[in-house]
Amino acid sequence: MLHFARWKQAVILGVCLLGVVLCLPNLMPRSAFPSWLEPRQISLGLDLRGGSYLLLEVDLNTVVRERLESAVDGVRGKLRTANIRYVNLGADAQNRRMGFRVLDTAQAGAAAAALRELAEPVTLPTGQNVPDIEVTTAPDGTVTATLSEAGLRAKASAAVEQSIEIIRRRVDETGVAEALIARQGQSRILVTLPGVEDPNRIKDLLGRTARMTFHLVDESANLAGNPPPGVMFLPSERPGERVAVRRNVAVDGKNLTNARAGQDSRTGEWVVNFTFDGTGTRRFADITRANVGRPFAIVLDDKVISAPVIREPITGGQGQISGSFTVRTANDLAVLLRAGALPAPLTIVEERTVGPELGADAIRAGMISLAVGTLFVFLYMGFAYGILGWFANIALAFNILLLMAGLSVLGATLTLPGIAGIVLTLGTALDANILINERIREEVKNGRSPINALEAGYTKASGTILDSNLTNLIAMACLYGFGSGPVKGFAVTVAIGTIVQMWTATVLTRLFASWWYRRTRPKELPVFQRPGLSLLDRLRRPLFRIFPDGTRIPFMRGAKMGLIVSALLSSISVAIAFHPGLEKGIDFKGGVEMEIRTPGPGDISVLRGAVGGLGLGDATLLQFGDPATFALRLPAQGDEGGVQRAVTAVREALEKAAPGTRILRVEAVGNRVSDELFLGGLMALGLSFLAMLIYIWIRFEWQFGIAAITTLILDATKTIGFMVLFGIEFNLTTVAAILTIIGFSANDKVVVFDRMRENLRKFKTMPLEQLVDLSINETMNRSLGTSMTLLLSALPLALFGGDTLSGFAWVMVVGIVISAGSSVFIAAPIVLFTGRNRLRMPDAAAQGQAEATAPR
């Protein structure tokens, strides 16, 4: 209804005012707020402000191995105490078990009981406590302990949580502000480091386990042979040297309370001074008191960094680590020791680094795209729909404010794909207003009074608006569920914008129309141009129509040809998608991409030679923009660690070849992560098709569901064909574009289908072919209008959005054009051919000729 009670008006205006208030904190720095008030602000993503994104994976094999080796050591002592003789005691980490065979099978039960005593309790979700190892015996006296699934999950969870805490300490020690450290999945940790241009030092700090232990050196061991029982050979800091140390840990580094870099007062060399807690002090004093004159090895991550001779008992709980330290390496080691040892090694499986220069460029490109897109869309709506279009523009401004308010409340991180989502929201947000305005125009044309036409326009369009926007939300839900990183931000931004625009289009613009109508009481609505009007009156009315009114174009005469051409184009697209094939981006095939900038115009042959000599595979180096900027791509390396070794090697080689070279951007993705991202992208596409099929099937007849899903698949294949022809990379960003196109295309089909369903009830005997043509002609202005607003918002992204978004934007532009045509020449013909004998009975055609030609 156009009547709004005062309290309703107050609520609507209050929501708009709240949106403005929630956006205000984003205009002020955090330092402007008192310490007791935590502002809810939108954070800039790393691609906008610069920084590093690291995805670390905990080596669970090490966790399993250490648990089993602990059981081996424990059971060895228990069997010795119980005088049980045994052979073949050892651990098999790959199969998660350890075992041995007792020589006297009668003692197998006692041996199994001794092993069960070493089990650690694990609490299940039900609250029940179970042992982490399962002990079994065999008739030949073999006793086996297997780490249970519950035990593995508990160990993995504990290792990841402990690693997160230690990583947080290490990062805090480096002084990086606003770092985010969070768990991702079962065994991975996400670390984002804003403002860090060169993450090498932090990667070194995070990649080292930093487990320090103290062992007595076994001077009697023969280093040329195999290590005797209870002894292990470890590499020394000196290249090529090994040291024989006792396996038993004399003092553990976990008993350290402090570690600081300093200089030796006698030699001036850099050392690390450490202090033990009470337990460590007593243990250290006992060991040094009993072993004066013997070398005592300090072991860090299975490498002997120092093996000084104990000159006298050390009872003060303090010591010193010396070696070939520089001021930086000494400080780094002190940081590691203070933060504590990781429970297992960490591997960097994905890295994305953006320098602050590129971040500033991205912000500028995003703002230009947003400004140009806003201008284009505002002008189009104002000139195409007159005063009702300007009402929609005001509502769109509040739409953006409420969208930003929602992101602020969520504490969201705005990335470049997020800016793209805001820009595209400009186009999709006006879809509902176009539906309403076109419906109002039809009601006026059918002779309704101004108040009734306004009321009918909002009422009759509401169902279509809900259906069409839900398809878009389905696509964004699939993208969020299976996307990664910034692509999830894009999905959240578009989803919030879609929800908000349903409110602003159906409630806020209705309030504006109500105020305008009560103030002016017009005799007719300004939806048509009339001769003899003043310039001001003409500007209040639509200045142009994108498609003529009252057309009777027989689109279905070309139904068969449309389907044949579409099937042919899609078949060719599928064929070229396999050969020559889609150009997969780094997200989906792994590898390394780097953008580098030399101090002056770079010699590309020198840079290629420096990188080519590293043996990292087929490296591609191209000039990128100005003469001092280059893009480098390396293929996927053999393992996850190989990717990081390749990044480090390239940095060093480029610095030698062109001193002063800066790394502007790094993207490094390991093989396993790329496979997971690729599978997630395909699942997002597949599930979006399935979800839309189910939704349209439920909301409409099955013929409409089949037509919609077939058309969406054909639209997607043609879009992929375009990507192959023009060499656009297939990555997470273009998957987001394809899903957005699928949502828009389904939106467009729903509007046409809704009009068909309405006309089926209205013209019960009209031949189906004429009814389909009628429905298409009636909704053509709406379909083309929405396509135009989306194009006007996507084109600035393609032209000004920069290289990161150009592929996304051009895929959007082409997809919009394909979707607009497919509603007429694919979806409608499929409904016609599948519903000819079901949506209309055969004998209805003969009865419907008069009605089909009757005035409407």
Side-chain angles (χ1 to χ4, degrees):
M1 296 175 63
L2 284 179
H3 173 71
F4 286 84
R6 290 187 180 276
W7 69 268
K8 289 184 180 180
Q9 297 182 44
V11 170
I12 295 170
L13 295 178
V15 170
C16 296
L17 180 60
L18 180 63
V20 174
V21 171
L22 291 175
C23 288
L24 289 178
N26 294 293
L27 303 177
M28 296 177 283
R30 284 184 176 269
S31 58
F33 295 90
S35 57
W36 51 267
L37 179 61
E38 182 67 24
R40 305 296 294 180
Q41 294 176 310
I42 299 174
S43 303
L44 291 181
L46 299 182
D47 54 355
L48 296 179
R49 68 189 295 188
S52 292
Y53 163 105
L54 303 174
L55 186 62
L56 311 173
E57 187 167 52
V58 178
D59 184 0
L60 295 183
N61 289 331
T62 299
V63 176
V64 172
R65 185 178 67 250
E66 289 185 352
R67 174 65 183 101
L68 296 177
E69 288 178 352
S70 171
V72 168
D73 291 339
V75 80
R76 182 184 287 116
K78 287 183 174 295
L79 295 178
R80 188 183 300 114
T81 302
N83 200 25
I84 299 174
R85 300 175 63 198
Y86 61 90
V87 294
N88 302 332
L89 175 62
D92 179 5
Q94 185 173 1
N95 293 308
R96 301 198 335 244
R97 64 171 178 252
M98 57 79 60
F100 55 90
R101 184 171 63 85
V102 297
L103 298 180
D104 183 358
T105 56
Q107 294 181 307
L115 188 54
R116 288 191 182 97
E117 292 177 4
L118 300 173
E120 299 174 358
V122 176
T123 303
L124 298 177
T126 59
Q128 179 186 2
N129 285 335
V130 297
D132 69 333
I133 56 174
E134 299 169 349
V135 181
T136 58
T137 59
D140 65 347
T142 298
V143 181
T144 305
T146 304
L147 187 64
S148 66
E149 286 294 332
L152 177 61
R153 286 195 298 270
K155 284 291 179 184
S157 180
V160 172
E161 293 300 327
Q162 186 181 352
S163 298
I164 289 173
E165 184 58 36
I166 292 169
I167 289 171
R168 183 172 287 111
R169 289 186 211 147
R170 293 183 181 181
V171 171
D172 288 346
E173 289 276 359
T174 64
V176 176
E178 300 181 37
L180 171 67
I181 301 163
R183 183 171 184 168
Q184 190 171 87
Q186 181 183 6
S187 61
R188 290 178 180 167
I189 301 169
L190 173 65
V191 180
T192 60
L193 306 167
V196 175
E197 184 175 358
D198 181 3
N200 272 353
R201 183 190 176 210
I202 293 180
K203 286 196 297 182
D204 291 341
L205 291 176
L206 300 184
R208 297 176 66 180
T209 307
R211 183 180 181 188
M212 190 170 77
T213 53
F214 297 80
H215 301 255
L216 288 170
V217 175
D218 192 323
E219 298 176 279
S220 64
N222 179 13
L223 292 173
N226 294 323
V231 176
M232 55 185 177
F233 295 161
L234 296 180
S236 171
E237 283 284 291
R238 297 190 183 93
E241 287 189 11
R242 293 194 301 171
V243 180
V245 301
R246 297 284 178 87
R247 283 188 176 273
N248 183 52
V249 176
V251 186
D252 200 318
K254 67 184 179 182
N255 295 120
L256 291 174
T257 59
N258 196 11
R260 296 289 173 186
Q263 287 182 289
D264 190 288
S265 58
R266 295 165 297 175
T267 64
E269 66 178 1
W270 281 95
V271 295
V272 177
N273 300 303
F274 59 85
T275 305
F276 284 112
D277 61 12
T279 303
T281 297
R282 287 191 298 272
R283 183 67 178 157
F284 200 60
D286 293 341
I287 291 294
T288 54
R289 187 180 295 113
N291 295 277
V292 173
R294 295 186 59 185
F296 197 36
I298 303 173
V299 178
L300 182 68
D301 292 342
D302 295 329
K303 179 180 285 189
V304 177
I305 60 175
S306 178
V309 175
I310 302 172
R311 303 296 183 190
E312 58 184 358
I314 304 173
T315 58
Q318 295 182 340
Q320 186 181 90
I321 304 172
S322 59
S324 302
F325 291 125
T326 64
V327 60
R328 177 169 175 174
T329 56
N331 275 291
D332 286 351
L333 178 56
V335 167
L336 293 172
L337 296 180
R338 285 198 302 272
L342 290 168
L346 296 175
T347 303
I348 299 175
V349 295
E350 184 179 358
E351 175 192 352
R352 300 178 193 271
T353 300
V354 177
E357 294 176 54
L358 286 189
D361 291 344
I363 293 175
R364 184 166 52 253
M367 291 299 102
I368 291 174
S369 301
L370 182 60
V372 175
T374 302
L375 178 63
F376 284 173
V377 170
F378 271 43
L379 291 177
Y380 174 80
M381 283 299 294
F383 292 155
Y385 293 100
I387 193 169
L388 296 180
W390 292 111
F391 289 162
N393 287 337
I394 298 172
L396 179 59
F398 280 103
N399 187 336
I400 296 174
L401 282 173
L402 292 173
L403 168 59
M404 301 302 290
L407 294 176
S408 299
V409 170
L410 294 175
T413 299
L414 184 63
T415 61
L416 198 54
I419 291 179
I422 295 174
V423 175
L424 291 179
T425 299
L426 295 173
T428 58
L430 292 171
D431 171 64
N433 292 112
I434 292 174
L435 270 172
I436 293 168
N437 292 343
E438 289 293 336
R439 179 63 79 166
I440 290 173
R441 187 182 176 93
E442 288 181 24
E443 298 301 326
V444 171
K445 191 175 180 181
N446 289 336
R448 285 183 179 266
S449 65
I451 185 69
N452 289 333
L454 286 171
E455 185 61 50
Y458 280 98
T459 302
K460 291 185 177 181
S462 59
T464 308
I465 291 171
L466 179 64
D467 284 335
S468 60
N469 281 288
L470 280 177
T471 57
N472 198 31
L473 288 174
I474 289 171
M476 292 304 106
C478 294
L479 183 59
Y480 182 83
F482 295 95
S484 174
V487 175
K488 283 192 172 187
F490 170 83
V492 170
T493 302
V494 174
I496 294 176
T498 300
I499 294 170
V500 170
Q501 66 98 355
M502 285 193 284
W503 182 79
T504 56
T506 58
V507 177
L508 193 57
T509 59
R510 183 184 291 205
L511 178 63
F512 295 157
S514 172
W515 285 347
W516 170 80
Y517 181 81
R518 285 193 301 169
R519 187 178 65 84
T520 61
R521 297 289 180 179
K523 295 181 179 179
E524 64 171 8
L525 293 179
V527 294
F528 297 101
Q529 282 290 355
R530 295 279 187 263
L533 295 174
S534 66
L535 178 62
L536 184 60
D537 285 336
R538 291 180 63 84
L539 290 176
R540 291 194 184 112
R541 298 169 182 265
L543 296 182
F544 67 89
R545 295 288 287 166
I546 198 169
F547 191 79
D549 289 325
T551 57
R552 296 174 181 266
I553 301 174
F555 291 104
M556 289 304 97
R557 290 184 184 177
K560 292 182 180 178
M561 182 58 67
L563 288 174
I564 292 171
V565 171
S566 176
L568 182 62
L569 290 175
S570 291
S571 299
I572 294 173
S573 297
V574 171
I576 63 177
F578 286 99
H579 184 77
L582 272 169
E583 176 63 30
K584 288 184 182 179
I586 190 174
D587 294 335
F588 292 158
K589 71 177 181 181
V592 179
E593 281 187 2
M594 303 176 76
E595 190 173 335
I596 61 177
R597 182 167 293 166
T598 54
D603 187 335
I604 193 168
S605 60
V606 172
L607 298 176
R608 279 177 177 161
V611 176
L614 298 175
L616 299 174
D618 187 14
T620 303
L621 182 69
L622 300 171
Q623 189 171 314
F624 187 69
D626 60 83
T629 306
F630 300 88
L632 170 66
R633 172 171 287 188
L634 299 174
Q637 305 300 304
D639 57 13
E640 307 297 328
V643 172
Q644 288 304 311
R645 289 192 294 272
V647 171
T648 302
V650 169
R651 285 179 183 271
E652 294 173 353
L654 291 175
E655 178 61 30
K656 289 180 182 178
T661 296
R662 288 175 297 141
I663 308 297
L664 301 181
R665 178 176 62 90
V666 175
E667 292 191 33
V669 181
N671 290 331
R672 277 185 295 124
V673 172
S674 62
D675 291 342
E676 292 168 10
L677 293 176
F678 182 63
L679 180 61
L682 294 183
M683 290 185 69
L685 289 172
L687 278 179
S688 66
F689 285 131
L690 179 61
M692 288 185 193
L693 171 63
I694 294 172
Y695 177 77
I696 295 175
W697 197 311
I698 292 173
R699 289 289 291 147
F700 299 87
E701 288 78 4
W702 66 265
Q703 292 89 351
F704 295 102
I706 295 297
I709 200 65
T710 304
T711 307
L712 295 180
I713 292 173
L714 293 174
D715 288 352
T717 54
K718 294 188 195 71
T719 304
I720 290 173
F722 165 79
M723 293 170 60
V724 176
L725 287 176
F726 289 89
I728 297 176
E729 286 188 352
F730 184 57
N731 53 31
L732 280 175
T733 307
T734 49
V735 166
I738 294 172
L739 279 170
T740 306
I741 291 166
I742 290 172
F744 164 73
S745 183
N747 179 320
D748 194 48
K749 275 64 177 171
V750 164
V751 172
V752 179
F753 291 166
D754 190 71
R755 183 55 63 93
M756 289 183 187
R757 183 173 58 180
E758 180 181 333
N759 285 336
L760 283 169
R761 292 192 295 263
K762 185 177 180 181
F763 304 112
K764 297 186 180 300
T765 57
M766 179 182 289
L768 187 59
E769 182 173 338
Q770 295 181 30
L771 186 141
V772 170
D773 281 335
L774 173 65
S775 301
I776 294 173
N777 279 280
E778 288 178 341
T779 57
M780 184 60 70
N781 258 300
R782 178 267 160 198
S783 296
L784 293 180
T786 302
S787 299
M788 182 60 68
T789 57
L790 204 52
L791 272 175
L792 290 175
S793 59
L795 267 176
L797 283 175
L799 298 175
F800 310 112
D803 300 301
T804 305
L805 290 179
S806 62
F808 168 90
W810 284 118
V811 169
M812 281 293 307
V813 169
V814 172
I816 292 165
V817 175
I818 292 172
S819 299
S822 67
S823 298
V824 176
F825 297 108
I826 304 175
I830 292 176
V831 171
L832 174 64
F833 294 135
T834 58
R836 196 187 295 274
N837 296 326
R838 293 179 181 272
L839 299 176
R840 275 284 183 263
M841 299 305 295
D843 59 353
Q847 304 174 18
Q849 295 299 324
E851 185 177 335
T853 56
R856 289 176 288 276

